[in-house]
Amino acid sequence: MTEAAELPPAPDQAREVFGDRFADAVRYAELLAEAGVQRGLIGPREVPRLWERHLLNCAVLSEVVPEGVTVCDVGSGAGLPGIPLALVREDLKITLLEPLLRRTNFLTEVVELLGLDHVTVIRGRAEEVMGKITPVHVVTARAVAPLDRLATWGIPLLRPYGEMLALKGDTAEEELKSAATALSKLGAVETSILQVGEGVVDPLSTVVRVEVGESPGGVRFAAKRAKAARTGRARRRR
């Protein structure tokens, strides 16, 4: 049996980034390295680079998230980027959306253990919850799907003039170009590629920002959203 990889000590940047929540960030890292690996949420090879590649890489997303907004982390998995974002930004109302039960069980345990009262865990797929959850200002995602497919899930969850922030790697520019037509049909009005985490992570974290207009998801999803809302109101009246 291969010996489990050991979680390295938190780097100095983690104390600065997580501030008063540093101890909670350490506990989360420990949970990922232990239960996260045991439950198959992350690979054992990721443990030695949990801080730089995962926690800090996600926490610096906070640099481009507006103050006091609602956020939905689509395909949250083991809580990345949603939980690091929640640890550094208590002003946000964050929903961790994840379809797999074993993952939502883990997320619920983490949220309760760390006392993240501003975080809600929902089990479901993005296309299933549209119209059932209140549209949000910001959708986040990391390592979920190529941008064109991710957009079909994430953009319809936005409120008018909201934005999707997707953490991407070296393929960001290529994905954005190939997704241009799909994004336009989904109501995107502006796109950009941002670099965040100066002085914290190396290489910098790459974020694809997709801003939408008054009809997130386009005409097709506006009709679906309206139908889902009517169905929800009818159920509540029963």
Side-chain angles (χ1 to χ4, degrees):
M1 180 182 293
T2 304
E3 187 176 342
E6 186 176 344
L7 177 68
D12 293 339
Q13 294 93 324
R15 290 184 178 275
E16 182 179 340
V17 169
F18 291 104
D20 294 341
R21 284 283 196 171
F22 172 70
D24 290 326
V26 171
R27 186 66 187 119
Y28 176 50
E30 292 170 346
L31 289 166
L32 287 174
E34 296 162 7
V37 172
Q38 293 165 7
R39 300 186 196 183
L41 303 183
I42 67 165
R45 293 182 180 179
E46 297 302 312
V47 174
R49 51 186 185 177
L50 265 178
W51 283 106
E52 288 82 359
R53 184 179 174 86
H54 298 287
L55 273 76
L56 289 173
N57 176 269
C58 291
V60 296
L61 181 64
S62 65
E63 295 177 17
V64 291
V65 177
E67 186 175 349
V69 298
T70 54
V71 178
C72 183
D73 189 30
V74 173
S76 194
L80 301 165
I83 288 178
L85 184 61
L87 287 170
V88 298
R89 293 288 300 276
E90 295 190 37
D91 60 299
L92 305 175
K93 295 291 185 183
I94 299 177
T95 297
L96 306 179
L97 182 62
E98 168 57 47
L100 295 185
L101 179 61
R102 63 187 170 90
R103 293 176 180 170
T104 53
N105 284 344
F106 175 79
L107 293 174
T108 300
E109 291 166 17
V110 171
V111 166
E112 292 177 354
L113 181 65
L114 302 185
L116 299 174
D117 297 333
H118 57 306
V119 178
T120 301
V121 179
I122 295 180
R123 183 186 176 197
R125 299 181 184 280
E127 57 269 35
E128 297 169 346
V129 302
M130 187 179 64
K132 298 177 183 177
I133 65 172
T134 303
V136 297
H137 298 89
V138 176
V139 162
T140 59
R142 177 179 186 259
V144 174
L147 189 61
D148 54 353
R149 199 180 337 147
L150 173 63
T152 65
W153 301 333
I155 287 180
L157 299 179
L158 290 169
R159 56 182 289 169
Y161 307 104
E163 60 185 353
M164 183 175 74
L165 299 172
L167 279 161
K168 289 288 183 178
D170 297 337
T171 62
E173 190 170 344
E174 181 183 332
E175 284 192 49
L176 189 53
K177 285 181 180 177
S178 63
T181 300
L183 292 174
S184 179
K185 289 179 179 178
L186 288 166
V189 295
E190 190 169 340
T191 62
S192 54
I193 296 177
L194 312 172
Q195 300 288 326
V196 296
E198 182 72 41
V200 178
V201 291
D202 184 18
L204 299 177
S205 298
T206 301
V207 181
V208 175
R209 171 186 270 161
V210 178
E211 300 173 70
V212 300
E214 62 182 13
S215 299
V219 176
R220 174 170 148 239
F221 284 98
K224 289 181 68 174
R225 190 184 297 108
K227 181 180 179 181
R230 289 195 299 271
T231 302
R233 287 195 296 270
R235 285 174 180 166
R236 287 193 292 271
R237 285 197 296 266
R238 290 174 188 169

